[in-house]
């Protein structure tokens, strides 16, 4: 009961941005579950066939959290600055993405068709790897989920 009381006390009198940025331990636990489910699926652990439950949980949580941030911004300022939203996302996601793409290029270029390697890197960096089937993605194959997420936010 104490954690609930603490969360409630912290949110009393807080502005919309403060409420949107508060950590909710239960959501952190769900994010951890989602990540473990996907990793176990990639390790071919039988109970997690496909890993789709983890991916679905992650998408739902991301949508919930991002929507909360956008609504808080609108409540606070009267509008949503999409440019600032995407700049924050790029600052958070692109360093790791660019590292993955550099690894992809370093390991795949010497042994695979350079055209396909560069095409896959281009799909990854533009968040469009989910749109084209049949392209070998080697070390950046996981970026399909980033593509779906970014396209969702664009439509949202």
């Amino acid at each position: 009961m104490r954690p609930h009381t603490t969360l409630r006390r912290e949110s009393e009198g807080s502005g919309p941005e403060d409420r949107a940025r508060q950590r909710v331990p239960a959501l952190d636990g769900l994010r951890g579950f989602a990540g473990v489910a996907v990793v176990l699926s990639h390790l071919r652990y039988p109970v997690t066939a496909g890993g789709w439950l983890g991916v679905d949980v992650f998408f739902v949580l991301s949508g919930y959290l991002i929507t909360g941030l956008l609504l808080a911004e609108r409540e606070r300022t009267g509008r949503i600055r999409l440019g600032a939203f995407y700049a924050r996302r790029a600052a958070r996601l692109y360093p790791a993405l660019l590292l993955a793409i550099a690894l992809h290029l370093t390991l795949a270029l010497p042994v695979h068709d350079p055209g396909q390697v560069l095409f896959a890197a281009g799909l990854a960096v533009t968040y469009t790897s989910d749109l084209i089937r049949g392209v070998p993605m080697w070390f950046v194959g996981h970026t399909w989920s980033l593509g779906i997420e970014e396209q969702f936010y664009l439509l949202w």
Side-chain angles (χ1 to χ4, degrees), residues 60-89:
V60 169
L61 285 175
S62 292
Y64 171 78
L65 295 170
I66 294 295
T67 299
L69 289 172
L70 293 174
L71 289 175
E73 181 180 351
R74 189 182 72 186
E75 185 178 326
R76 190 178 73 257
T77 67
R79 66 188 193 129
I80 296 173
R81 294 181 1 221
L82 288 178
F85 166 74
Y86 279 107
R88 287 189 304 269
R89 285 194 61 77

Side-chain angles (χ1 to χ4, degrees), residues 5-149:
T5 306
T6 303
L7 278 176
R8 192 171 29 153
R9 246 187 248 133
E10 288 174 3
S11 66
E12 288 174 2
S14 299
E17 183 174 306
D18 295 330
R19 284 193 304 270
R21 289 179 187 247
Q22 284 183 348
R23 291 197 84 75
V24 179
L27 295 184
D28 287 341
L30 280 175
R31 270 198 300 241
F33 161 77
V36 167
V38 170
V39 168
L40 289 176
S41 172
H42 283 287
L43 294 174
R44 309 260 190 253
Y45 193 74
V47 176
T48 59
W52 297 113
L53 179 60
V55 172
D56 289 346
V57 168
F58 186 80
F59 281 157
V60 169
L61 285 175
S62 292
Y64 171 78
L65 295 170
I66 294 295
T67 299
L69 289 172
L70 293 174
L71 289 175
E73 181 180 351
R74 189 182 72 186
E75 185 178 326
R76 190 178 73 257
T77 67
R79 66 188 193 129
I80 296 173
R81 294 181 1 221
L82 288 178
F85 166 74
Y86 279 107
R88 287 189 304 269
R89 285 194 61 77
R92 190 173 75 247
L93 297 176
Y94 259 91
L97 178 62
L98 294 176
L99 180 63
I101 291 170
L103 177 69
H104 168 79
L105 293 172
T106 302
L107 297 175
L109 270 175
V111 294
H112 295 289
D113 174 27
Q116 285 189 337
V117 172
L118 293 172
F119 187 65
L123 291 174
V125 79
T126 59
Y127 294 123
T128 55
S129 60
D130 63 307
L131 299 177
I132 299 178
R133 301 266 184 230
V135 176
M137 296 296 289
W138 297 289
F139 304 101
V140 290
H142 63 282
T143 60
W144 68 268
S145 63
L146 292 172
I148 288 174
E149 190 174 11

